[in-house]
Amino acid sequence: MTSFRAAILAALFLLLQTVSVLADDVTLRARDGSIALSGTLLGFDGEFYRLRTDYGELTVDGSGVLCEGPGCPNLIDFVAELSISGSATIGRVLMPALIESFALRNGLVAERETLAEREILYTLRNRETEKVVGRFALRVSNTDEGFADLLADEADLVMALREIRPSEVTLAKEAGLGDLLKPNRSQIIALDAMVPIVSAANPVSALSLSDLLRILSGRLTNWRELGGPDAPVVIHLRDAQSGFAQAVEDRLLRPRGARLAEDVTRHGDNTALARSVSRDPFGFGLASFSEIGTAKPLVLTGPCGFRLAAERRTVKTEDFPLTAPMFVYIPARRLPALAREFLGFTRSDAAQIVIRRAGFVDQAPEEVPVDLQGDRFANAIRVAEGAEGLAALQEMTRALADMRRLTTTFRFEPGSATLDAQSRSNVLQLARALEAGLYDGRRLVFVGFSDGQGAAAGNLKIAQRRADAVRKAVLEFAETADLDRLVIESRAFGETMPMACDDTAWGRDVNRRVEVWVE
């Protein structure tokens, strides 16, 4: 009752006037009859009412009021409603698999119904009573339409293959949806990657990051320049409205001041793109890691001799520089309890198994011993310079030889000290693991690395500051962790173990990172 009175008084104070409240769809009346509030019912999650009133949009605890009017929900037979819109890459396979697994693990039956070509409805029933407890509606389109549906109040969640753009952030704030840039307003549910592909008939097997940019911008137009046939490069990409294609421009082209070539063949889905490239001996495409089909993936390389292939582990660690997080954006409104439980489930160990089976890369941390580090140590030996470089490499090897690297890695926005989207998610994930006691009795070391630009001593200091900053961020979020049960340290090895060549901004971005090693 006190919270209900406070909400009304606060709204009156902000307006600095008394507003005559006229009945609209519903009236919420305090149980003692002392206060009444009328307006348009925007939603009810089984616990709270969301109401548009003359005082603005208010959320009211249902336990302290009685609802009157034709728009009032049935409290006894309440059904949780959730509308999810956006990326077809997420919505066609992954999201349905997560919904069905969530239902199975919670004693529910998920009945799937196709309402239209791009619309799917899941009705969730209690397995024992057959009572309907939820309806989850999926609108499978693209990232642009997902955000449009959210802004039009036609979706509760957005499935996105790119980060939200500044214009969408502004519109969301104006629509009362909160700041969608805040950590709790988005969630990475799986990982994908932008993989360069060609036909199996094409002799080219590797591509530098610089040449990738030249192809996309239309400055490299003949395969002969890459050791292939004397034939034009035919670029294949997803449709311009897809989050995947927009991520190509947002992450690869625009930061380098480049524009996409005009002559591009577009495709409505990933399967069609991969199929077309596999049949085109002169085709080149950027495909989803989960849907390469029979096309041949190209290894990323550079003048220093490094080779980076798109594999599950390199995508999870972001060692492969074209990793693409798959987002769910969540507005600042209260979702029904069943919907909140579903979002919690998507972070669980059970959900990570579902994600792997669906063909995407999960976020469950894995421990990788030194002998399974691939070419990392070999590459480090290759680029070590002089006695000082070899001494630093030996020191690093001694320090890490008996430890295992977690696939949880932290990287930064290009040219910034701000963690990128996947790393911000990793902060929360590792913090939850510490709170759950998963690393009790063990030693965790946050290890900072840098690129090779500038003096080695300066790079070492920068890498140490980054390692300290990431360690601090994780501990700040791990509020309930018992830190006396484990040892958490930070140290740095600067430019000792690069992951890519320093000849491009992409390569330098990959090298600037903080890894987590455990013993």
Side-chain angles (χ1 to χ4, degrees):
M1 179 63 65
T2 301
S3 61
F4 183 72
R5 291 178 183 271
I8 295 178
L9 291 175
L12 287 169
F13 177 79
L14 290 172
L15 288 175
L16 298 177
Q17 60 182 351
T18 302
V19 180
S20 176
V21 181
L22 301 177
D24 192 356
D25 292 336
V26 300
T27 297
L28 301 182
R29 194 179 304 279
R31 292 186 180 275
D32 62 2
S34 59
I35 298 177
L37 182 67
S38 297
T40 302
L41 183 66
L42 299 177
F44 177 68
D45 66 1
E47 300 171 284
F48 286 78
Y49 295 93
R50 187 162 56 91
L51 207 65
R52 180 182 293 122
T53 72
D54 290 337
Y55 314 119
E57 189 173 309
L58 300 177
T59 300
V60 180
D61 187 347
S63 64
V65 298
L66 297 174
C67 185
E68 302 172 356
C72 290
N74 186 326
L75 303 185
I76 298 176
D77 296 321
F78 170 75
V79 177
E81 305 278 353
L82 179 67
S83 176
I84 310 172
S85 178
S87 164
T89 302
I90 302 173
R92 284 202 179 112
V93 177
L94 180 55
M95 192 60 71
L98 288 170
I99 292 173
E100 291 169 10
S101 181
F102 167 73
L104 182 64
R105 296 183 66 86
N106 286 274
L108 304 174
V109 176
E111 299 173 354
R112 174 171 173 152
E113 180 183 0
T114 301
L115 302 180
E117 182 182 356
R118 301 190 304 175
E119 296 181 5
I120 302 168
L121 176 65
Y122 276 97
T123 301
L124 306 182
R125 297 179 182 273
N126 184 290
R127 186 179 300 277
E128 296 181 357
T129 65
E130 297 188 353
K131 177 184 175 182
V132 176
V133 297
R135 295 189 186 92
F136 289 5
L138 287 175
R139 185 166 185 264
V140 178
S141 53
N142 55 57
T143 299
D144 271 1
E145 291 193 30
F147 281 117
D149 285 345
L150 179 69
L151 294 171
D153 203 20
E154 295 177 358
D156 300 307
L157 304 176
V158 178
M159 302 176 288
L161 289 185
R162 60 166 172 79
E163 293 191 60
I164 189 170
R165 289 174 165 172
S167 60
E168 294 163 338
V169 173
T170 300
L171 291 172
K173 288 180 180 178
E174 293 174 353
L177 301 176
D179 185 354
L180 296 186
L181 289 178
K182 289 187 176 180
N184 58 341
R185 300 273 70 87
S186 66
Q187 179 177 320
I188 295 176
I189 61 170
L191 303 174
D192 202 353
M194 297 179 281
V195 183
I197 60 171
V198 296
S199 166
N202 192 321
V204 175
S205 60
L207 182 76
S208 73
L209 288 167
S210 297
D211 286 338
L212 171 61
L213 180 61
R214 291 173 63 209
I215 288 176
L216 292 173
S217 60
R219 291 184 286 117
L220 193 163
T221 59
N222 195 297
W223 284 111
R224 181 177 51 192
E225 298 184 54
L226 299 175
D230 183 7
V233 177
V234 181
I235 304 174
H236 296 259
L237 289 178
R238 283 289 312 279
D239 52 288
Q241 289 73 39
S242 76
F244 193 92
Q246 291 169 352
V248 171
E249 297 197 50
D250 290 353
R251 293 182 53 193
L252 305 186
L253 294 169
R254 193 167 292 120
R256 281 84 191 175
R259 299 183 64 179
L260 184 65
E262 294 182 1
D263 190 12
V264 175
T265 302
R266 297 284 190 174
H267 300 274
D269 59 64
N270 293 313
T271 302
L273 185 151
R275 185 186 301 118
S276 294
V277 172
S278 67
R279 295 173 177 174
D280 183 353
F282 310 129
F284 170 85
L286 277 177
S288 166
F289 176 75
S290 62
E291 295 186 79
I292 293 175
T294 59
K296 180 173 70 174
L298 297 181
V299 174
L300 295 178
T301 187
C304 63
F306 282 23
R307 296 174 65 84
L308 298 167
E311 300 170 349
R312 190 177 66 84
R313 186 175 293 157
T314 60
V315 171
K316 181 178 287 193
T317 59
E318 283 191 280
D319 291 347
F320 185 74
L322 304 181
T323 297
M326 306 175 78
F327 298 91
V328 168
Y329 279 89
I330 310 160
R333 66 167 63 131
R334 187 178 176 87
L335 296 174
L338 190 68
R340 300 197 302 272
E341 291 170 7
F342 170 68
L343 283 174
F345 167 78
T346 63
R347 304 187 189 99
S348 68
D349 292 340
Q352 305 312 306
I353 297 173
V354 174
I355 291 165
R356 287 197 294 271
R357 288 177 177 172
F360 298 97
V361 178
D362 65 281
Q363 298 181 87
E366 300 176 27
E367 297 182 14
V368 186
V370 170
D371 59 352
L372 292 180
Q373 293 288 319
D375 295 329
R376 281 158 48 90
F377 280 85
N379 288 336
I381 294 171
R382 182 183 295 117
V383 300
E385 296 183 357
E388 185 177 343
L390 287 174
L393 181 59
Q394 289 175 338
E395 179 186 359
M396 180 190 71
T397 303
R398 284 193 295 267
L400 303 179
D402 296 327
M403 305 185 73
R404 292 169 173 257
R405 179 196 178 190
L406 282 187
T407 51
T408 303
T409 306
F410 302 90
R411 284 190 164 83
F412 305 86
E413 300 282 4
S416 169
T418 302
L419 289 173
D420 66 18
Q422 182 175 336
S423 298
R424 294 193 294 270
S425 176
N426 288 344
V427 167
L428 299 175
Q429 183 186 58
L430 185 55
R432 286 194 295 268
L434 295 179
E435 291 179 327
L438 297 183
Y439 297 104
D440 284 0
R442 305 186 69 180
R443 174 171 165 250
L444 268 69
V445 182
F446 291 82
V447 182
F449 293 97
S450 70
D451 60 41
Q453 300 290 299
N459 289 336
L460 185 64
K461 292 180 180 178
I462 292 172
Q464 183 65 59
R465 286 201 295 269
R466 287 186 177 132
D468 292 339
V470 173
R471 175 183 179 274
K472 179 181 178 182
V474 171
L475 294 181
E476 285 178 351
F477 278 96
E479 296 178 352
T480 64
D482 186 349
L483 301 181
D484 293 332
R485 293 180 175 271
L486 73 163
V487 176
I488 303 180
E489 303 171 353
S490 64
R491 63 176 306 175
F493 296 106
E495 58 194 60
T496 303
M497 189 159 58
M499 296 302 307
C501 304
D502 277 330
D503 65 313
T504 65
W506 289 327
R508 293 189 291 273
D509 290 342
V510 171
N511 291 333
R512 293 191 289 262
R513 68 196 187 276
V514 174
E515 299 179 358
V516 183
W517 289 68
V518 296
E519 183 179 26

